[in-house]
């Protein structure tokens, strides 16, 4: 059986409170041998680490999601510097920019938008700094903020790379990400009827420059669309990605596994 990794899951979310051992067992049975649980604030990051301690094959990324920026302390570096010492913390994130719901959208308060973006930028910079110190890479979330995200990431070129998770941009933007040394990863959107643009990007991405993920509990692939997603469904995603590229599953398995092992140096 071809094996795969789920490089972006939110196993600490309450969606799995009742049946996490079964969720992880189903992933194993489906050939999903590694899962990275991604932190969205410090509490969530600490929960991800506890899950990594509890389950073999589960690893953690620690960080602060841009949408949670308003609740963040002024400086997340001291706490993150401690968390990255854990042997199963394989990345910083998720971090980045999210301009999808700006606070001034309804009120027309442009200054509120500026402050909000500034706080996201401060947090993103702090996380890139800790990643650089720790020799780790970053899991990048960006929504409606591609140019700002790429520009800030470029300031760390040569030190820290990012994986643009849940990549939904066109092939041109994919190439601009890869030019900076960063990677992309694809979710169950690849299986959606409406996902042709993502499949076009998948077909254009070099085999050694992308990874697979669920972003569970969100974005369950076909035929589970609309239900709670879980890491086992990387299987369905991998099948569509392999078919889209006309590449054998075994080859996709080997390439994405190598890419993840190289990008997440502590993933064992
Ligand atoms: Zn996420």
């Amino acid at each position: 059986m071809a094996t795969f990794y789920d490089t972006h899951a939110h196993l600490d979310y309450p969606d799995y409170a009742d049946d996490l051992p079964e969720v992880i067992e189903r992933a194993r049975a489906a050939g999903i041998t590694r899962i990275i649980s991604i932190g969205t604030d410090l509490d969530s990051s600490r929960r991800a680490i506890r899950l990594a301690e509890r389950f073999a094959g589960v690893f953690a990324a620690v960080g602060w999601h841009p949408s949670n920026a308003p609740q963040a302390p002024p400086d997340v570096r001291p706490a993150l510097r401690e968390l990255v010492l854990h042997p199963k913390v394989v990345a910083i994130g998720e971090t980045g920019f999210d301009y999808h719901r700006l606070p001034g959208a309804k009120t027309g308060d442009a200054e509120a938008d500026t402050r909000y973006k500034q706080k996201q930028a401060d947090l993103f910079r702090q996380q890139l700094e800790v990643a650089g110190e720790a020799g780790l890479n970053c899991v990048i979330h960006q929504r409606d903020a591609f140019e700002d995200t790429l520009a800030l990431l470029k300031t760390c070129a040569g030190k820290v790379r990012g994986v643009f998770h849940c990549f939904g941009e066109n092939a041109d933007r994919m190439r601009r990400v890869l030019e900076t040394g960063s990677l992309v990863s694809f979710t169950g959107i690849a299986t959606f009827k409406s996902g042709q643009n993502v499949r076009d990007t998948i077909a254009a991405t070099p085999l050694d420059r992308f990874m697979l993920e669920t972003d569970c509990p969100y974005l369950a692939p076909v035929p589970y669309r609309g239900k709670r997603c879980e890491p086992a469904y990387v299987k369905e995603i991998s099948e569509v990605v392999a078919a889209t590229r006309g590449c054998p599953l075994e080859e996709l398995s080997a390439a994405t596994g190598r890419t993840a092992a190289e990008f997440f140096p502590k993933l064992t």
Side-chain angles (χ1 to χ4, degrees):
M1 177 171 53
T3 58
F4 289 94
Y5 302 163
D6 185 353
T7 60
H8 194 117
H10 294 283
L11 297 182
D12 74 301
Y13 280 19
D15 308 67
Y16 304 109
D18 294 335
D19 66 342
L20 188 58
E22 289 89 338
V23 166
I24 289 171
E25 189 42 49
R26 279 196 292 275
R28 267 190 213 126
I32 312 310
T33 56
R34 306 269 187 284
I35 304 168
I36 303 176
S37 194
I38 309 286
T40 52
D41 60 25
L42 289 176
D43 285 342
S44 159
S45 299
R46 291 188 183 106
R47 286 196 299 270
I49 290 174
R50 281 201 293 276
L51 294 175
E53 287 171 343
R54 194 170 143 206
F55 298 101
V58 173
F59 296 80
V62 296
W64 202 291
H65 192 291
S67 298
N68 299 333
Q71 294 82 43
D75 190 351
V76 294
R77 290 173 298 183
L80 290 180
R81 283 185 181 119
E82 283 187 26
L83 297 181
V84 295
L85 299 175
H86 193 283
K88 292 189 92 176
V89 169
V90 298
I92 292 287
E94 55 191 299
T95 180
F97 288 112
D98 192 320
Y99 298 166
H100 189 61
R101 283 200 186 84
L102 293 175
K106 283 197 189 107
T107 58
D109 183 350
E111 275 176 34
D113 287 352
T114 305
R115 279 195 304 275
Y116 182 75
K117 291 180 178 180
Q118 188 57 49
K119 184 80 191 267
Q120 291 192 353
D122 290 346
L123 272 178
F124 189 7
R125 259 190 229 103
Q126 291 169 13
Q127 292 179 73
L128 288 168
E129 188 183 324
V130 176
E133 292 165 4
L136 296 177
N137 289 313
C138 273
V139 176
I140 305 291
H141 169 103
Q142 77 80 20
R143 194 166 183 195
D144 299 341
F146 180 79
E147 298 297 343
D148 282 4
T149 305
L150 199 61
L152 188 46
L153 196 57
K154 274 183 181 168
T155 65
C156 300
K159 279 186 288 206
V160 180
R161 292 179 296 145
V163 55
F164 280 61
H165 109 88
C166 194
F167 199 73
E169 307 285 341
N170 63 25
D172 182 54
R173 284 187 161 184
M174 173 273 292
R175 287 185 200 100
R176 291 178 58 207
V177 168
L178 301 196
E179 272 167 22
T180 70
S182 288
L183 304 174
V184 295
S185 74
F186 299 109
T187 62
I189 294 175
T191 70
F192 295 178
K193 204 172 243 177
S194 59
Q196 189 55 49
N197 60 327
V198 173
R199 287 188 290 278
D200 291 344
T201 301
I202 288 169
T205 307
L207 184 60
D208 60 349
R209 303 302 297 280
F210 69 89
M211 298 186 282
L212 303 179
E213 58 163 306
T214 57
D215 199 18
C216 66
Y218 312 114
L219 301 173
V222 172
Y224 308 105
R225 195 165 176 190
K227 304 211 170 83
R228 181 188 71 170
C229 186
E230 57 179 70
Y233 302 166
V234 169
K235 185 175 194 296
E236 282 72 19
I237 299 169
S238 70
E239 286 163 358
V240 169
V241 169
T244 300
R245 302 181 59 88
C247 123
L249 266 183
E250 291 295 343
E251 199 180 325
L252 183 66
S253 161
T256 53
R258 266 197 310 271
T259 302
E262 186 263 341
F263 185 80
F264 301 110
K266 288 162 72 182
L267 193 70
T268 52

